[in-house]
Amino acid sequence: MSIEIPAGLTDLLKGYTVEVLRSRPPDLVEFAIQYFSRLKESNTSRPTSRPLNLTQSQTERKVVSFEEDAQPSELSADEEDDEFSDELHFKPPPPKFNRRVSVCAEAYNPDDDVDDGNEPRIVHPKADQQRQRLQEACKDILLFKTLDPEQFSEVLDAMFEVLVKPEEHIIDQGDDGDNFYVIERGVYDILVKKDGVNICVGKYDNKGSFGELALMYNTPRAATIIAKQQGALWALDRATFHRLIVRNNANKRKMYEAFVESVPLLKSLELSERMKIVDVLGMKSFKDGELIISQGDEAHCFYIVESGVVKIMMKSKTKAGPMANEEVEIARCSRGQYFGELALVTNKPRAASVYAVGETKCLVMDVQAFERLLGSCKEIMKRNIASYEEQLVALFGSSADLRN
């Protein structure tokens, strides 16, 4: 006898499970009653209204603001009559503090969401200079790497600029997720509340992105982000993020889910944790002999070999004369093995160079995602440092190259 799982059940239970893991309630039954009661109330009370569309000229007159009392301008009766004739949805940037009511009530299942080509596109008009700045800010964002050119262009169309002031809270821990943010400029502290006290666990310095996990998993914000100086961000609304990024990531999950589960380093993680890792991974291809990491450079990424082989080469600092800069091969990594973690764990420059051997593909995770998602794996990585030192002793007679 075959049993068919009802549509939506998987996401319903996933949302509940995430809330249980986050809240760790003493009474699971009571927590379930409260959780599903709130979910039912949210679904019952949510209004169903068609979003207003603004013409391009109207949108251009809007000013991006983070003021708490900022509200969208009202449309005249004539403008309301004309608005639904537009093919694209030109929308002003939403006020930051116009928070959504309940994130848990809107579980998104990309498998149930089929793109029929008729979905409205959100467009925030930009001057040529603005778009150039936006493209520069987005060029290294791993979430965008798997998008095709048309999808990427649609993402750029939908993003809007947000100017921030010193000490301004961009997102607050526990809030619902409204936007995904890409940093154009500015320094931002990452704060996590532990035992009632905000602890700074990291920072973004004029590059990077944040806010994706709350949108992907329909969970509250996991951290508070505060601007430490005047800066500029580019924001992508939740609906467009779901339609383009999450749907695209669902396809990526199908490709990489089995592979990530086979990586020995990640076996200690829960399934949900491994799936989060899949969602933030990007893929890069390298030609035979291409330099992937250069010894002495600052570390920005962590790599897992998907296919092909890489060789790890190190310059000897203990040799003098013409041999001083000669690179010696100390290891090779193949499918499922990882590299680039040493500099991230020790907060030091790259200790070695890495080259592709033949056509090679690597899954790449940026340093911010590495810190957020692989913290529990760091002890395993630190234990591997001892094996690196043993190889150095065998090659150079000293492990000083790794420590210095």
Side-chain angles (χ1 to χ4, degrees):
M1 180 181 71
S2 62
I3 300 177
E4 181 178 353
I5 299 176
L9 177 61
T10 301
D11 284 316
L12 186 67
L13 296 179
K14 183 189 297 182
Y16 170 67
T17 302
V18 168
E19 285 301 304
V20 168
L21 294 176
R22 187 178 68 85
S23 304
R24 299 188 180 277
D27 188 334
L28 290 177
V29 175
E30 180 63 27
F31 184 80
I33 293 172
Q34 295 177 2
Y35 174 85
F36 288 111
S37 295
R38 289 196 303 269
L39 183 60
K40 182 178 179 180
E41 291 174 1
S42 298
N43 285 332
T44 302
S45 61
R46 191 186 314 136
T48 55
S49 59
R50 183 173 179 179
L52 296 179
N53 305 326
L54 302 182
T55 65
Q56 181 170 352
S57 60
Q58 291 165 336
T59 306
E60 289 172 340
R61 293 198 297 268
K62 303 296 179 183
V63 178
V64 178
S65 174
F66 263 11
E67 298 299 323
E68 290 197 37
D69 58 354
Q71 296 294 334
S73 300
E74 295 182 357
L75 298 178
S76 67
D78 290 338
E79 289 169 336
E80 289 181 347
D81 290 338
D82 293 337
E83 64 180 358
F84 295 116
S85 64
D86 297 333
E87 179 181 356
L88 303 180
H89 287 221
F90 292 102
K91 296 182 63 178
K96 177 192 171 188
F97 293 97
N98 186 17
R99 297 298 186 189
R100 298 165 56 256
V101 176
S102 175
V103 69
C104 296
E106 299 182 7
Y108 176 80
N109 183 1
D111 291 333
D112 295 336
D113 188 0
V114 179
D115 187 359
D116 58 7
N118 296 320
E119 297 180 59
R121 288 179 55 178
I122 303 301
V123 175
H124 294 289
K126 302 170 184 68
D128 291 342
Q129 186 180 32
Q130 278 185 304
R131 195 171 184 88
Q132 289 175 2
R133 289 191 286 110
L134 173 58
Q135 288 178 315
E136 181 65 22
C138 292
K139 69 178 183 179
D140 293 322
I141 302 302
L142 291 177
L143 278 176
F144 298 159
K145 292 293 186 183
T146 56
L147 300 177
D148 62 38
E150 183 178 351
Q151 290 172 324
F152 183 57
S153 178
E154 189 170 345
V155 165
L156 297 183
D157 286 342
M159 297 186 82
F160 56 92
E161 188 174 23
V162 177
L163 303 179
V164 299
K165 302 174 182 178
E167 301 305 318
E168 185 166 2
H169 286 226
I170 314 305
I171 62 176
D172 288 297
Q173 185 173 347
D175 280 357
D176 288 346
D178 46 9
N179 298 314
F180 169 66
Y181 295 95
V182 173
I183 297 169
E184 180 183 336
R185 65 178 185 275
V187 177
Y188 304 84
D189 280 348
I190 308 169
L191 304 177
V192 174
K193 184 172 289 187
K194 295 181 180 179
D195 300 324
V197 179
N198 280 325
I199 300 174
C200 184
V201 297
K203 70 175 182 179
Y204 298 96
D205 190 350
N206 286 287
K207 61 183 174 182
S209 61
F210 56 87
E212 74 279 8
L213 293 181
L215 303 186
M216 287 177 172
Y217 299 101
N218 298 294
T219 56
R221 297 294 195 188
T224 296
I225 308 293
I226 300 178
K228 302 308 294 179
Q229 57 186 231
Q230 285 190 340
L233 302 165
W234 291 94
L236 181 66
D237 67 275
R238 179 185 182 84
T240 305
F241 185 91
H242 272 170
R243 186 165 56 84
L244 293 176
I245 309 301
V246 178
R247 180 188 291 165
N248 191 270
N249 267 27
N251 297 330
K252 186 172 68 172
R253 272 192 181 193
K254 295 174 183 177
M255 293 173 57
Y256 294 138
E257 184 172 351
F259 171 72
V260 168
E261 289 182 355
S262 71
V263 176
L265 173 69
L266 307 179
K267 287 187 179 295
S268 62
L269 300 178
E270 298 291 337
L271 175 61
S272 60
E273 294 174 317
R274 289 199 295 269
M275 291 305 96
K276 288 182 180 180
I277 288 172
V278 171
D279 286 335
V280 300
L281 287 173
M283 194 276 286
K284 289 188 177 180
S285 298
F286 302 95
K287 298 178 181 179
D288 182 33
E290 186 173 349
L291 178 66
I292 302 173
I293 287 177
S294 180
Q295 184 173 341
D297 281 358
E298 184 181 353
H300 298 295
C301 295
F302 166 74
Y303 299 82
I304 302 174
V305 181
E306 183 195 357
S307 64
V309 176
V310 301
K311 61 180 179 181
I312 302 173
M313 309 285 289
M314 179 176 286
K315 297 176 183 177
S316 171
K317 297 181 181 178
T318 60
K319 296 181 180 180
M323 299 290 288
N325 292 321
E326 182 180 356
E327 289 186 328
V328 177
E329 183 176 330
I330 61 173
R332 291 197 174 203
C333 296
S334 55
R335 179 178 170 83
Q337 294 181 302
Y338 59 91
F339 62 94
E341 83 291 355
L342 182 60
L344 300 181
V345 171
T346 61
N347 295 314
K348 293 182 178 180
R350 297 295 192 187
S353 296
V354 181
Y355 298 87
V357 179
E359 296 290 327
T360 301
K361 291 183 179 179
C362 293
L363 301 183
V364 187
M365 180 186 299
D366 64 33
V367 61
Q368 288 85 13
F370 179 88
E371 292 288 344
R372 290 200 313 265
L373 301 177
L374 288 181
S376 60
C377 295
K378 282 189 177 181
E379 290 303 315
I380 299 175
M381 297 177 184
K382 288 178 180 178
R383 289 199 294 269
N384 289 338
I385 293 177
S387 66
Y388 295 153
E389 290 184 335
E390 290 175 3
Q391 295 177 58
L392 289 173
V393 170
L395 289 167
F396 304 121
S398 168
S399 61
D401 279 326
L402 182 60
R403 295 194 301 267
N404 295 334

